[in-house]
């Protein structure tokens, strides 16, 4: 096994801010940059290193900012460029870093490039997008969009179809066009020159399309993404070009969102001599419950499936490459609601267990806002309360296929993206201190009990536990550089592994009971280990309480 090279970006912990839902200061019900500024003390208190700021650019907000109409501006809902620059300076002053979302697989259809491309086939911007003739029966091929329905929309004027792997207001950019690639380089330089510390690059694995645009020979949507849309023929060339032209001139984080990658591809994106990205997000664990038709067609999965998936991916990076570890984000249900037990009885201990899992895996951890106080899925009582276009699109198609509103809402409450986008609950004020206006999306049902202020006050809170885990992550570099060694158990509810850092002759032991029932402890002589942190009072060494998690340490005896 090779020994991981030390790099500053491996030692960071990222905190994802979904700007609309973090902190409003103007009363328009939408979070803003000054709101983030007002909460920097909180992020310092929590102990995170890097803020990943979701898109704050001008956008018609068909997909909450993932449809950008001006890559070099700030949406007035969020503030001004001066507000952004002030925030960036203060983030740096507080000793943190800031990375921005770079959404360049597609733009908004309201971007001037697309407007010009539609206005005339002769426009120099026409080829910035992907146009194809339809077939007699309709679109050029059978590709479907991530957000349901065909991935092609007819432009009546020219009679050609444009490709959009996401919503129809999100036309895909044509990376085959060199001028377009230069525009993207220019955008990246613009923000890096302002002093930001890198990018989270939206669906970057999708930017190179197979140019034959042949039909996808798969029914299962995850297969279509993995085998047709992702890792296209020129993707690594495009990544290297961006690196050589721009990224290599900055000391930055390049974190790719790797929809549809597999471990082998992941190492191509992030291998240390490849000159592409530093790290990547993989999604296999997020797809464990996706059925044939994607997220709104969920299937059952087990703790073992989750464990196997995490282990398989860790093994993929054993020799080279690096990943960023996450268990939820703005696109997926809350981790305790999805993988754990979010009942009143177990929410607290379960959220702490998942913080151990998140912060003891090998990879740069990414905490999604609100997980550090154990937020659970928000439940919507009707579709009128939902906000996400993906939910609405799937609703139309599932309804047409005969599903009832009640059944669809139940699935949306389990799997939909809105479940995880409710605003941060800060305190017990009106709207939990998020806004003095009307929040753009419903607050969580339980904000009077689950909010930052109450967790700051309580010594045994989830928030305090996260702080402890973040401190541990800083103190114990074995958690960053140690290899991950699974200790297989007969009991499928247990996840037990070591992080072995041979360079320093140290190892850490992580013991997790990922179930709501008491389990026999693994057959380990714990007297040989020093306990560093635990989420329960250890009642008997022989048993693990529901969702009990512990981290131990010992020095390796000299060989
Ligand atoms: O399952 C997925 C990948 O196979 C998806 O979740 C995928 O990762 C996701 O849809 C891509 O998300 C990103 O791009 C979208 C945007 O709506 C999401 O919010 C963003 O995170 C389009 O820009």
């Amino acid at each position: 096994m090779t020994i991981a090279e030390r790099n500053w970006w491996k030692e960071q912990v990222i905190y994802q801010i979904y700007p609309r839902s973090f902190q409003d200061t103007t009363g328009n019900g939408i979070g803003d940059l000054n709101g983030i500024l007002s909460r920097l003390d909180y992020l310092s208190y929590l102990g995170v290193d890097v803020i990943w700021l979701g898109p704050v650019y001008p956008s018609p907000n068909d997909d909450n900012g993932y449809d950008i109409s001006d890559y070099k501006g700030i949406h007035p809902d969020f503030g001004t460029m001066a507000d952004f620059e002030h925030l960036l300076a203060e983030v740096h002053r507080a000793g943190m870093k800031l990375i921005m979302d770079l959404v360049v697989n597609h733009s908004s259809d309201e971007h001037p490039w697309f407007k010009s491309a539609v206005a005339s086939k002769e426009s120099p911007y026409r080829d910035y997008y992907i146009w194809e003739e339809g077939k007699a029966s309709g679109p050029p091929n059978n590709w479907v969009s991530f957000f349901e329905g065909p991935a092609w929309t007819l432009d009546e004027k020219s009679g050609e179809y444009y490709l959009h792997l996401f919503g129809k207001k999100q036309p895909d950019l044509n990376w085959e066009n060199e001028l377009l690639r230069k525009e993207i380089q220019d955008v990246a330089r613009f923000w890096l020159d302002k002093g930001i510390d890198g990018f989270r690059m939206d669906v970057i694995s999708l930017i190179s399309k197979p140019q034959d645009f042949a039909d996808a020979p798969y029914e299962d949507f995850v297969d279509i993404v993995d085998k047709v849309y992702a890792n296209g023929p020129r993707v690594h060339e495009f990544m290297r070009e961006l690196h050589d032209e721009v990224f290599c001139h900055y000391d930055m984080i390049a974190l790719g969102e790797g929809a549809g990658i597999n471990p082998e591809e992941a190492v191509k994106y992030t291998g240390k001599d490849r000159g592409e990205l530093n790290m990547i997000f993989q999604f296999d664990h997020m797809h464990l419950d996706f059925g044939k038709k994607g997220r709104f067609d969920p299937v059952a999965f087990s703790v073992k499936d989750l464990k196997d998936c995490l282990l398989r991916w860790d093994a993929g990076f054993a020799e080279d490459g690096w990943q960023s570890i996450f268990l939820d984000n703005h696109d997926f249900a809350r981790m305790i609601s999805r993988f754990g037990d979010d009942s009143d009885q177990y929410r607290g201990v379960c959220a702490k267990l998942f913080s151990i899992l998140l912060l003891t895996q090998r990879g740069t951890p990414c905490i999604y806002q609100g997980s550090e106080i154990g937020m659970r899925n928000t439940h919507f009582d009707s579709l009128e309360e939902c906000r996400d276009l993906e939910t609405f699109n799937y609703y139309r198609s599932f309804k047409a296929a005969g599903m009832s509103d009640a059944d669809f809402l139940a699935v949306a409450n389990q799997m939909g993206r809105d479940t995880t986008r409710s605003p941060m609950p800060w305190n017990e004020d009106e709207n939990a201190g998020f806004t003095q206006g009307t929040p753009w999306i419903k607050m969580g049902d339980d904000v009077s009990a689950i909010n930052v202020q109450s967790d700051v006050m309580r010594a045994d809170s989830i928030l305090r536990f996260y702080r402890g885990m973040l401190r541990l992550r800083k103190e114990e570099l074995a958690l960053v550089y140690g290899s991950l060694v699974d200790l297989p158990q007969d009991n499928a509810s247990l996840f037990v592994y070591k992080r072995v850092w041979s360079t320093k002759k140290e190892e850490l032991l992580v013991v997790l009971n990922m179930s709501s029932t008491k389990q026999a402890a693994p057959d380990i002589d714990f007297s040989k280990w020093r306990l560093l942190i635990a989420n329960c009072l250890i009642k008997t060494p022989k048993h693990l309480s529901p969702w009990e998690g512990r981290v131990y340490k010992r020095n390796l005896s000299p060989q």
Side-chain angles (χ1 to χ4, degrees), residues 441-498:
I441 191 171
K442 180 179 172 184
M443 304 294 301
D445 312 317
D446 35 26
V447 293
S448 56
I450 303 175
N451 62 61
V452 168
Q453 190 180 40
S454 84
D455 262 31
V456 169
M457 309 288 278
R458 273 208 346 265
D460 68 343
S461 67
I462 299 168
L463 179 61
R464 298 278 190 118
F465 193 82
Y466 262 82
R467 291 181 77 215
M469 281 305 302
L470 284 161
R471 256 197 316 272
L472 195 68
R473 178 99 195 172
K474 285 271 125 40
E475 285 162 11
E476 301 294 343
L477 281 180
L479 290 175
V480 179
Y481 296 110
S483 52
L484 193 152
V485 180
D486 181 42
L487 302 178
Q489 305 293 314
D490 289 338
N491 181 342
S493 298
L494 303 190
F495 194 8
V496 184
Y497 50 93
K498 291 199 289 190

Side-chain angles (χ1 to χ4, degrees), residues 16 18 52 63 66-67 101 103 105-106 146-147 166-167 170 200 202-203 206 221-222 225-226 257-260 283 286-287 290 295 329-332 388-390 417 421:
Q16 181 192 353
Y18 194 64
W52 153 21
D63 187 19
Y66 284 93
D67 47 329
D101 236 301
V103 188
N105 172 69
H106 44 269
F146 276 73
F147 294 159
F166 294 88
Q170 295 167 292
R200 174 269 187 188
D202 194 62
V203 287
L206 307 185
F221 185 67
V222 173
V225 174
D226 292 5
E257 195 200 18
F283 287 92
M286 292 290 124
H287 292 157
F290 277 34
R295 75 169 70 226
N329 66 24
H330 65 296
D331 291 333
F332 297 98
D388 184 14
L389 88 156
E390 184 187 45
R417 304 194 301 181
R421 294 179 174 179

